[in-house]
Amino acid sequence: MSALPTTQEKTIPDATNYKGAPAERSKTGGWSASAMILGGEVMERMTTLGIAVNLVTYLTGTMHLGNAESANVVTNFLGTSFMLCLLGGFLADTFLGRYRTIAIFAAVQATGVAILAMSTKIPSLHPPKCTGDSGGPCERATSKQLTVLYLALYMTALGTGGLKSSVSGFGSDQFDDTDEKERKQMLKFFNWFYFFVSTGSLAAVTVLVYIQDNQGRVWGYGICAVAILVALTVFLSGTKKYRYKKPVGSPLTQIAVVFVAAWRKRHLQPPSDSSFFFHEDYIPADGLQSNKQRLPHSNQFRFLDKAAMKDSSGTEAMKNNKWYLTTLTDVEEVKLVLRMLPIWATTIMFWCIHAQMTTFSVSQAVTMDCHIGKTFKIPPASMTVFLIGTILLTVPFYDRFVAPVAKKLLMNPHGLSPLQRVGTGLVFSVLSMVAAAAIEIKRLKEARSHGLVHTPHSKIPMTVFWLVPQFFLVGVGEAFMYMGQLDFFLRECPKGMKTMSTGLFLSTLALGFFFSSLLVSIVNKLTAHGKPWLADNLNQGKLYDFYWLLALLSAINVVIYFVAAKWYVYKEKRFAEVGIELEEQENVGNFH
């Protein structure tokens, strides 16, 4: 007898439509809904990168800031953009939901870019043009002019943070991961998402940068503002098509809950028998069943065990308060995150190295011959295309050639492990700074041999393509670092805190850019009285020493990383030792 045909459920179990009713499978979600979301990511990526990669030339050439100060403005802008992703993610997970977060922060970003565009057009909002013929220093931007600039940049950063935190997640919400067909479509969505991220990046460092340099910043930034508004309009037009999921709370809240509950019971002595801990699958105050996988008790970070201890002296209200009593599984999930922190901390240095590609490397390019042939001249900031292109080529090269060899040599079905890929990326970061220092020494020799040391606005007869090696090495390093970091955080974050993987990843980028700002400030202050390393006239500075310093710090960081990686035990192996099999974990797509 043949089996009865099964009918697919008409509604999605954990999703609603725009009215709050159960979402119908045939009328909501899918490719038509996700396509309206993808456009917003293209515009966000194009805008943020289009501003960032060419910002240092605007700050030095138009606002007349020094090289070190300009570099810090860029890295602080990028660091803030990535750090605000944590705020955007928290608001989306806890209060607003992803749809409202995208809509609100897209409008904020568009406003910021519009202010930036207007500030480049209105003469009173930037200093008079400096030709360098007067012999005196150029007039620096006033505090009022800089205030308007910073207002525009940080409004843009706020909008970027909100968008970046929610777009990929809301796109994946349009597919039901309990349905095999839609789960396959979700994987394709992430592939297309990465394609559109790459498209936006390439458009930013080529077309948009060219327009900024040749047609004016007002056109370049104005196009971005209009593009974001168009993308927002398209996004809002899909309101009736989307599937919505209720905010489930932020993993940051869970971490805070565990630490607060442990602190409130700090006077208690943790029991040796784990059966005395609170093991229930629900928190009575919430009355909600948990779908988390139960985790075994571990002996690390035992202070946190107190959060799951039952205190007989507490009142009934306190016992039912999650800020006083939480489950042992919640505690163990927080411990899993803490174990990742040494790896997390040692990846920050890579993004500090990466920051130099949008700051001093662009400043170097400004002083060099940017011609291709006799007539066409590429914008200095477009050198970033070699970094992005290298990333796009390295990923398939790894899949086609490196991974198969690594599988055979290391007996690992996945090729290089996540930690091995991260380590490879860190090694390339050291090599990139060695190459950058050597190339800068050659650039200075050319400047001296042609008598251009005291004429910073003159072009050194040395092709800008000498800078390609440092962009190439950072690009290869980023491909390995990006794949390794994301895979590591996705794999090792507990199932109940899966969105924490995004926060851990993006926070390393933010802190890397902020560390670059700190390092530049310290170096600039310590070397200001002699021959400054980061001089406003690069031909009179010692930028190569700064690159040597970064290479040294990165090399030390690599050694520390290898020690941390050697110490780290993968979650799967740790649980296998106590006879627990990990439940399958959903992928969380995120692209920076």
XYZ file of all heavy atoms in Angstrom, residues 80-102 105 157-170 173 245-253 497-504 506-507 588-590:
443
model
N 33.629 52.652 15.075
C 32.306 52.970 15.617
C 31.205 52.265 14.826
O 30.232 51.773 15.403
C 32.079 54.491 15.605
O 33.123 55.129 16.345
C 30.737 54.856 16.221
N 31.356 52.212 13.501
C 30.363 51.540 12.664
C 30.203 50.080 13.075
O 29.081 49.574 13.228
C 30.764 51.612 11.182
O 30.811 52.942 10.731
N 31.328 49.385 13.268
C 31.262 47.973 13.644
C 30.826 47.786 15.091
O 30.091 46.854 15.402
C 32.620 47.310 13.404
C 32.923 47.074 11.955
C 33.974 47.730 11.327
C 32.151 46.201 11.205
C 34.243 47.522 9.986
C 32.416 45.985 9.864
C 33.457 46.644 9.247
N 31.258 48.673 15.984
C 30.861 48.534 17.385
C 29.366 48.787 17.566
O 28.711 48.138 18.389
C 31.674 49.506 18.251
C 31.516 49.255 19.747
S 32.022 47.580 20.240
C 33.808 47.757 20.253
N 28.815 49.718 16.781
C 27.386 49.999 16.880
C 26.529 48.867 16.327
O 25.322 48.840 16.538
C 27.057 51.320 16.168
C 27.513 52.582 16.909
C 27.283 53.822 16.059
C 26.778 52.722 18.241
N 27.170 47.916 15.612
C 26.447 46.712 15.217
C 25.960 45.946 16.440
O 24.905 45.305 16.406
C 27.331 45.794 14.371
S 27.732 46.440 12.742
N 26.737 46.006 17.525
C 26.324 45.346 18.764
C 25.073 46.004 19.330
O 24.160 45.323 19.804
C 27.457 45.388 19.788
C 28.785 44.750 19.379
C 29.793 44.858 20.515
C 28.583 43.296 18.984
N 25.023 47.343 19.281
C 23.836 48.055 19.738
C 22.648 47.724 18.850
O 21.543 47.436 19.341
C 24.084 49.567 19.726
C 22.863 50.451 20.009
C 22.352 50.210 21.425
C 23.209 51.930 19.794
N 22.865 47.756 17.529
C 21.780 47.429 16.604
C 21.262 46.025 16.817
O 20.042 45.780 16.824
N 22.186 45.068 17.008
C 21.782 43.691 17.251
C 21.015 43.543 18.549
O 20.025 42.801 18.627
N 21.451 44.263 19.599
C 20.765 44.207 20.890
C 19.340 44.750 20.764
O 18.384 44.145 21.268
C 21.552 45.005 21.927
C 20.887 45.074 23.276
C 20.964 44.006 24.150
C 20.180 46.203 23.657
C 20.349 44.063 25.395
C 19.556 46.274 24.889
C 19.645 45.194 25.771
N 19.191 45.890 20.093
C 17.860 46.481 19.921
C 16.956 45.567 19.101
O 15.771 45.405 19.414
C 17.976 47.846 19.250
C 18.653 48.949 20.067
C 18.817 50.216 19.233
C 17.856 49.248 21.334
N 17.521 44.960 18.041
C 16.720 44.070 17.192
C 16.296 42.814 17.941
O 15.146 42.368 17.828
C 17.511 43.692 15.942
N 17.216 42.244 18.721
C 16.935 40.990 19.425
C 16.036 41.186 20.642
O 15.361 40.247 21.075
C 18.237 40.330 19.886
C 19.052 39.775 18.729
O 18.466 39.561 17.655
O 20.266 39.555 18.903
N 16.032 42.387 21.195
C 15.358 42.602 22.478
C 14.091 43.440 22.365
O 13.090 43.147 23.028
C 16.322 43.288 23.472
O 17.555 42.565 23.499
C 15.733 43.322 24.871
N 14.105 44.483 21.532
C 12.986 45.428 21.526
C 12.320 45.598 20.157
O 11.112 45.395 20.009
C 13.456 46.810 22.018
C 14.028 46.802 23.398
C 15.387 46.985 23.592
C 13.225 46.605 24.511
C 15.934 46.971 24.865
C 13.753 46.591 25.795
C 15.110 46.773 25.968
N 13.103 45.994 19.170
C 12.521 46.470 17.917
C 12.165 45.367 16.929
O 11.225 45.518 16.147
C 13.485 47.457 17.232
C 13.811 48.740 18.001
C 14.862 49.546 17.247
C 12.548 49.552 18.210
N 12.918 44.286 16.931
C 12.785 43.316 15.848
C 13.623 43.776 14.660
O 13.994 44.954 14.554
N 13.921 42.855 13.751
C 14.842 43.183 12.659
C 14.243 44.133 11.632
O 14.933 44.993 11.085
C 15.306 41.883 11.994
C 16.275 41.101 12.860
C 16.494 39.693 12.373
N 17.537 39.039 13.169
C 17.731 37.739 13.206
N 16.946 36.927 12.501
N 18.692 37.226 13.949
N 12.952 44.013 11.354
C 12.324 44.864 10.337
C 12.383 46.332 10.744
O 12.845 47.189 9.975
C 10.870 44.428 10.146
C 10.057 45.377 9.287
C 10.137 45.313 7.895
C 9.219 46.337 9.863
C 9.400 46.189 7.100
C 8.480 47.203 9.086
C 8.578 47.127 7.704
O 7.846 47.989 6.923
N 11.939 46.635 11.964
C 11.962 48.025 12.419
C 13.388 48.549 12.526
O 13.648 49.721 12.220
C 11.252 48.140 13.776
C 9.743 47.959 13.719
C 9.118 48.363 15.054
N 7.681 48.114 15.058
C 7.105 47.010 15.512
N 7.876 46.036 15.997
N 5.802 46.862 15.493
N 14.301 47.701 12.964
C 15.701 48.130 13.086
C 16.251 48.550 11.733
O 16.900 49.601 11.610
C 16.558 46.992 13.679
O 16.032 46.615 14.955
C 18.000 47.421 13.838
N 15.994 47.744 10.698
C 16.482 48.080 9.352
C 15.867 49.381 8.867
O 16.564 50.275 8.361
C 16.168 46.929 8.372
C 16.993 45.688 8.727
C 16.459 47.360 6.929
C 16.614 44.450 7.945
N 17.238 52.512 10.987
C 18.649 52.837 10.826
C 19.029 53.131 9.376
O 20.012 53.819 9.126
C 19.510 51.717 11.405
C 19.542 51.720 12.917
C 18.664 50.948 13.654
C 20.435 52.532 13.589
C 18.684 50.962 15.035
C 20.471 52.556 14.969
C 19.588 51.771 15.701
N 27.634 56.206 10.705
C 28.100 55.028 11.444
C 26.965 54.388 12.233
O 26.844 53.154 12.284
C 29.240 55.423 12.381
N 26.121 55.214 12.853
C 24.977 54.685 13.614
C 24.032 53.929 12.696
O 23.573 52.822 13.023
C 24.246 55.840 14.306
C 22.984 55.469 15.101
C 23.329 54.506 16.235
C 22.318 56.734 15.653
N 23.742 54.512 11.533
C 22.880 53.833 10.577
C 23.489 52.542 10.068
O 22.808 51.512 9.943
N 24.794 52.574 9.806
C 25.499 51.378 9.343
C 25.407 50.260 10.372
O 25.157 49.099 10.035
C 26.974 51.705 9.061
O 27.043 52.692 8.029
C 27.739 50.470 8.631
N 25.626 50.612 11.645
C 25.574 49.608 12.702
C 24.229 48.916 12.784
O 24.146 47.689 12.908
N 23.150 49.692 12.704
C 21.818 49.102 12.764
C 21.509 48.229 11.567
O 20.923 47.140 11.698
N 21.915 48.698 10.383
C 21.656 47.920 9.161
C 22.451 46.627 9.140
O 21.914 45.539 8.908
C 22.015 48.760 7.934
C 20.966 49.720 7.400
C 21.563 50.575 6.284
C 19.762 48.972 6.877
N 23.751 46.754 9.389
C 24.643 45.607 9.275
C 24.258 44.495 10.256
O 24.450 43.312 9.986
C 26.079 46.056 9.525
C 27.138 45.118 9.001
C 28.522 45.651 9.330
C 28.876 46.873 8.567
N 29.096 46.645 7.126
N 23.710 44.879 11.407
C 23.379 43.892 12.435
C 22.155 43.059 12.085
O 21.973 41.977 12.652
C 23.134 44.612 13.768
O 21.958 45.419 13.697
N 21.312 43.539 11.173
C 20.002 42.903 10.995
C 19.689 42.421 9.582
O 18.791 41.599 9.412
C 18.896 43.890 11.428
O 19.022 44.214 12.795
N 20.375 42.947 8.576
C 19.991 42.638 7.198
C 20.122 41.146 6.884
O 19.183 40.529 6.368
C 20.829 43.479 6.199
C 20.591 43.006 4.778
C 20.464 44.951 6.313
N 21.274 40.558 7.184
C 21.459 39.139 6.853
C 20.499 38.266 7.648
O 19.946 37.293 7.129
C 22.903 38.713 7.104
O 23.250 38.878 8.468
N 20.273 38.617 8.928
C 19.356 37.836 9.759
C 17.929 37.923 9.280
O 17.212 36.914 9.241
N 17.489 39.133 8.895
C 16.115 39.290 8.413
C 15.937 38.590 7.079
O 14.866 38.048 6.786
C 15.770 40.779 8.285
C 14.299 41.040 8.062
C 13.351 40.616 8.975
C 13.864 41.713 6.928
C 11.995 40.853 8.776
C 12.523 41.959 6.713
C 11.580 41.532 7.641
N 15.379 35.047 7.792
C 14.051 34.836 8.380
C 12.993 34.546 7.324
O 11.915 34.014 7.650
C 13.615 36.070 9.177
C 14.368 36.209 10.487
O 15.028 35.238 10.894
O 14.301 37.303 11.095
N 9.678 37.543 12.863
C 9.879 36.715 14.054
C 10.020 37.622 15.266
O 10.667 38.673 15.191
C 11.116 35.828 13.888
C 10.943 34.797 12.782
C 12.090 33.808 12.716
C 11.849 32.765 11.628
N 12.932 31.764 11.537
N 9.419 37.200 16.370
C 9.439 38.018 17.572
C 10.854 38.067 18.155
O 11.588 37.087 18.088
C 8.470 37.452 18.611
C 7.005 37.544 18.191
C 6.101 36.979 19.276
C 4.640 37.083 18.856
N 3.735 36.521 19.899
N 11.215 39.215 18.733
C 12.524 39.302 19.394
C 12.628 38.249 20.503
O 11.704 38.086 21.300
C 12.526 40.721 19.979
C 11.548 41.490 19.151
C 10.481 40.507 18.766
N 13.732 37.520 20.517
C 13.902 36.427 21.477
C 14.862 36.786 22.605
O 15.149 35.964 23.471
C 14.415 35.153 20.761
C 13.380 34.635 19.811
C 15.726 35.442 20.030
N 15.348 38.017 22.614
C 16.285 38.427 23.652
C 17.714 38.336 23.175
O 18.056 37.524 22.322
N 18.545 39.171 23.746
C 19.944 39.234 23.339
C 20.807 38.323 24.208
O 20.578 38.208 25.416
C 20.456 40.675 23.460
O 21.851 40.735 23.302
N 21.816 37.668 23.610
C 22.751 36.871 24.426
C 23.527 37.727 25.414
O 24.015 37.218 26.424
C 23.681 36.232 23.388
C 23.532 37.055 22.156
C 22.131 37.568 22.173
N 23.655 39.027 25.126
C 24.313 39.912 26.083
C 23.539 39.965 27.392
O 24.120 40.073 28.476
C 24.435 41.324 25.491
C 25.325 41.473 24.262
C 25.268 42.900 23.722
C 26.759 41.096 24.580
N 22.194 39.875 27.282
C 21.368 39.845 28.485
C 21.658 38.594 29.303
O 21.755 38.649 30.532
C 19.871 39.902 28.109
O 19.626 41.062 27.305
C 19.002 39.948 29.348
N 22.974 30.676 22.204
C 23.504 32.036 22.058
C 24.094 32.219 20.665
O 25.141 32.843 20.500
C 24.572 32.300 23.125
C 24.096 32.147 24.546
S 25.449 32.322 25.735
C 25.797 34.072 25.601
N 23.442 31.661 19.662
C 24.036 31.624 18.318
C 24.296 33.017 17.746
O 25.249 33.206 16.988
C 23.152 30.823 17.366
C 21.778 31.403 17.137
C 20.985 30.577 16.122
C 19.639 31.222 15.827
N 18.895 30.485 14.797
N 23.465 34.018 18.109
C 23.703 35.360 17.575
C 24.935 36.007 18.195
O 25.408 37.034 17.711
C 22.481 36.267 17.806
O 22.173 36.280 19.209
C 21.270 35.768 17.035
N 25.473 35.402 19.258
C 26.692 35.928 19.877
C 27.872 35.824 18.928
O 28.828 36.600 19.015
C 26.984 35.137 21.156
C 28.052 35.749 22.036
S 27.487 37.296 22.763
C 29.015 37.926 23.437
N 27.817 34.865 17.995
C 28.915 34.692 17.043
C 29.119 35.952 16.209
O 30.249 36.358 15.935
C 28.645 33.494 16.123
O 27.440 33.678 15.396
N 28.020 36.595 15.821
C 28.110 37.838 15.059
C 28.755 38.935 15.892
O 29.629 39.667 15.422
C 26.712 38.282 14.601
O 26.124 37.260 13.811
C 26.782 39.567 13.804
N 28.331 39.033 17.158
C 28.880 40.068 18.031
C 30.363 39.896 18.277
O 31.117 40.868 18.261
N 30.790 38.655 18.511
C 32.208 38.399 18.747
C 33.040 38.765 17.519
O 34.111 39.364 17.622
C 32.423 36.927 19.110
C 31.965 36.501 20.503
C 31.979 34.984 20.627
C 32.831 37.132 21.583
N 32.256 40.873 14.897
C 32.264 42.297 14.577
C 33.031 43.118 15.616
O 33.633 44.135 15.286
C 30.827 42.813 14.456
C 30.030 42.267 13.265
C 28.591 42.757 13.321
C 30.668 42.686 11.944
N 33.022 42.659 16.873
C 33.744 43.407 17.909
C 35.254 43.357 17.689
O 35.969 44.300 18.046
C 33.394 42.874 19.301
O 33.767 41.522 19.448
N 24.414 30.917 10.941
C 24.048 32.318 11.066
C 24.910 33.087 10.099
O 26.114 33.152 10.242
C 24.280 32.844 12.502
C 23.880 34.288 12.597
C 23.504 32.014 13.501
N 24.320 33.631 9.067
C 25.117 34.334 8.077
C 25.404 35.754 8.495
O 24.534 36.464 8.947
N 26.600 36.158 8.331
C 26.967 37.541 8.593
C 28.145 37.923 7.712
O 29.095 37.177 7.594
C 27.363 37.749 10.054
C 27.803 39.159 10.302
O 26.998 40.067 10.284
N 29.083 39.361 10.513
